[in-house]
Structures are given as structure tokens and as C-alpha cells.
Amino acid sequence: MRIVVAPDSFKGTATAASVAQAVGDGWLAERPDDDVVLVPMADGGEGTLDAFATAIPGAVRVPVTVTGPAGTPVDAHWLQLPDGRAVVELAATSGLPLLPSLTPDTATSRGFGEAIAAALDAGATGLVLGIGGSASTDGGRPVLEALGLDGAGLRALPPLGVTVLTDVTSPLLGPTGAAAVFGPQKGIEPSRVAFFDEQLAAWAARFPSVDPATPGAGAAGGVGFGLLAWGATLARGADGVAEVLGLRDAVQGADVVITGEGRFDGQSAAGKVPSVVHALVSTHAPGARTILVAGAIDAPLDDFAAAASLTVLATQTTGEPADALADPLRFATIAGQRLARMA
């Protein structure tokens, strides 16, 4: 059989490439004669730069040191593409895992803006920006400041424009906005959500031509809004990455397509990797079975043919569900083995 393994990263614990490899290895341990194809995915968050680097021959990583989310230097990279565009990943410069502790009042997205500026200084003719996984709720103001706001004026957009990849459709403000939905994971107490919302509203008022209700404006703590104010275009992240990786062609002729993410929950249907892969398979490989592997499963599986939860596997194997978080690749391999036995 032909098996395509196309997971997202298990954020904070394992890269998409390592998860894909582990699941593939587990599958081949049971069915060594199958054709297993690995297509690590991303949705604009952690692993986006790696996905492009893997897919595009001639792409070059360019090192850059920027201001991290805690205000201290962070070593990162941006990706130079052969067509002149640059890929910059917010998770690598201003991501939540880069914080030693949650500091919602001071965490900053400035480093992301500095990396963008570095790519433009190097002559980038266009930008592809992945904005998932942010540590801050600052509306993207530090990003624009790094691009010249309140100084000589915002830098012009590059000739090929700026495409922003995001898996979030939230507006900037309100009960489904940046502070209310994503603030708690960044340390914002429920009693202070209104305070952050007021700050974001005051910031948005500086750009009356940009609608803060635009889907995706609330992505990355409002960095989506800041980039809209610059003139960027928002796009659903996993769709854009899937197109670059040629996933549509890869799944054609497949018997099984395995996708996944760290936590499959109520937000997964809103453009995250599993939903995009499932839709792609349904359209272009309707005879294939789509299977989910996730660290934890907290939502109905809908039309997935089968699923494996690493937390459940850890409970069954060691009796300690926390082991799935501590050693996800071990249990991703076990997941691959067990799913292969069901094939």
C-alpha cells in the first residue's frame, strides 16, 4: 500500500518532520513492504520555515539575531527562496516557547519585525510570513515599529507583496478576539482580558481604514491586524503550505493518509492541518482512508477512518499519560505500529 504521513508539529514537544518519521517508522516496522511517503506539514506556526526549506530546492537559511519575546537576544533564521521571496516564522523569533515564564504585560513581537526588516535589507522581493505560536498580545505594534512606524515611516511593501499564513480566523477584539481566546495561554488572567482588549482597541483606532473585525486580525495576539495595517494579505496557513509542498499530488493514489497535531480539539476544524489534509484527501483521493494521530483528542473525529491518541497509548503502555508529553516520538512510533496492524 501507499501511505502518506502529513502531520503538523506537536507544538513545544516535537517537530512535524520528527513526528512524520516516527509514525512512518512504526508503520514500516509492521508492514515493511509498504510505500511510506513523509510530507511534514505546517499551518503558519512552528515548523513553517522547515516545511518550505524541505519542499523548495535552493532555499537558503539566513541567520539573524533579534529581540526575543522576553526582550533578550534570540538567534533565529529566515529563509531565502530562489524566486527572491523570503519566509519568516514568528514562532522562531517571538514564540511562546522562547519565554522563560509567562509575561503577558511585557512579552513582545518586536523580534519578528526585526527579522522581516533583515530580510528586506537583504533584498527580499516578497514575503511569506507564518504567524502562529506567538508569545504576546501586543497587536503587532512592535512589529510595525521595527519596520519604521513612529520613525521615518513604515517601509514600503516589497514588489511581490506580503502573504501572511495563519490558522486563526479570530477578529482582533471582543469575546472571540485575541485577548479573550488566546490570552489565557499567554498568562492573561480572565479578570484582565478587558484591559488588554481596551489596549488593542486603542491601537486599532490609529488605523481607521483597517477593520479589526477582519478574520485573522486577532492572530498572533493581534500581529495579524498589524500586518493588515501594513498592507499584507492574510491567507489560511495550512492551505498555502500544502500547495507549496505539493500535497495534493502526493495523496493521489494513496491508500492511507495519516495526519495529526499535538491536540485535536474544537479549533482544529478552523483551518488547522488535520482539517486541511482531510479535505484535500476527500477531494483528490476519495478512495483513501484518512487517519489522525494526536497527542490528545478532545473533539469528535467526524469522518476520520481511525485515530490514535498518544496520551491514551501512554496510559495503556506505561500507565502514565504524562509520558506522551515527555517522549512523544516513542508513542508516535507505537501509534504507527498499531495503525499498521489495522490496515
Side-chain angles (χ1 to χ4, degrees):
M1 295 197 303
R2 176 179 168 83
I3 315 300
V4 176
V5 187
D8 196 357
S9 64
F10 284 29
K11 292 180 174 55
T13 61
T15 66
S18 64
V19 172
Q21 188 69 57
V23 172
D25 287 346
W27 187 283
L28 288 171
E30 292 293 323
R31 298 179 57 92
D33 295 330
D34 283 353
D35 176 22
V36 175
V37 179
L38 308 183
V39 188
M41 276 286 291
D43 57 15
E46 177 186 354
T48 297
L49 191 147
D50 289 341
F52 280 97
T54 299
I56 301 177
V60 177
R61 296 176 187 270
V62 181
V64 62
T65 299
V66 300
T67 303
T72 53
V74 167
D75 293 327
H77 294 82
W78 57 273
L79 191 69
Q80 187 175 52
L81 301 183
D83 66 1
R85 292 180 298 165
V87 180
V88 187
E89 180 186 298
L90 183 147
T93 61
S94 310
L96 193 59
L98 298 174
L99 276 180
S101 60
L102 297 179
T103 52
D105 290 284
T106 58
T108 178
S109 59
R110 182 175 182 85
F112 183 51
E114 292 172 347
I116 294 170
L120 293 174
D121 288 343
T125 56
L127 294 168
V128 179
L129 307 178
I131 65 169
S134 75
S136 61
T137 310
D138 56 23
R141 179 171 184 160
V143 175
L144 295 194
E145 288 174 346
L147 294 171
L149 183 71
D150 295 336
L154 272 173
R155 299 181 69 142
L157 296 176
L160 297 180
V162 179
T163 300
V164 181
L165 304 177
T166 176
D167 64 346
V168 170
T169 57
S170 296
L172 181 65
L173 307 171
T176 59
V181 175
F182 303 105
Q185 70 190 41
K186 302 172 186 180
I188 297 177
E189 297 291 338
S191 62
R192 301 190 68 224
V193 166
F195 168 76
F196 278 86
D197 223 34
E198 290 170 4
Q199 287 189 316
L200 291 171
W203 163 240
R206 295 185 58 173
F207 302 94
S209 63
V210 182
D211 186 358
T214 302
V223 169
F225 176 85
L227 293 172
L228 284 170
W230 189 29
T233 300
L234 302 187
R236 196 160 80 160
D239 285 327
V241 175
E243 181 177 350
V244 172
L245 297 182
L247 185 60
R248 180 180 63 184
D249 293 336
V251 302
Q252 292 180 6
D255 297 286
V256 174
V257 178
I258 303 174
T259 186
E261 61 182 342
R263 179 176 293 277
F264 183 79
D265 57 21
Q267 296 183 34
S268 296
K272 290 186 179 290
V273 166
S275 67
V276 169
V277 173
H278 190 289
L280 219 159
V281 173
S282 297
T283 302
H284 299 286
R289 288 175 291 153
T290 306
I291 295 174
L292 176 75
V293 174
I297 298 175
D298 295 324
L301 292 172
D302 297 327
D303 298 325
F304 285 100
S309 161
L310 303 195
T311 302
V312 172
L313 289 175
T315 302
Q316 295 171 344
T317 306
T318 68
E320 296 291 341
D323 286 351
L325 188 62
D327 194 2
L329 298 183
R330 173 188 176 188
F331 295 99
T333 303
I334 294 172
Q337 290 177 303
R338 295 199 179 182
L339 291 170
R341 291 173 193 160
M342 299 164 54

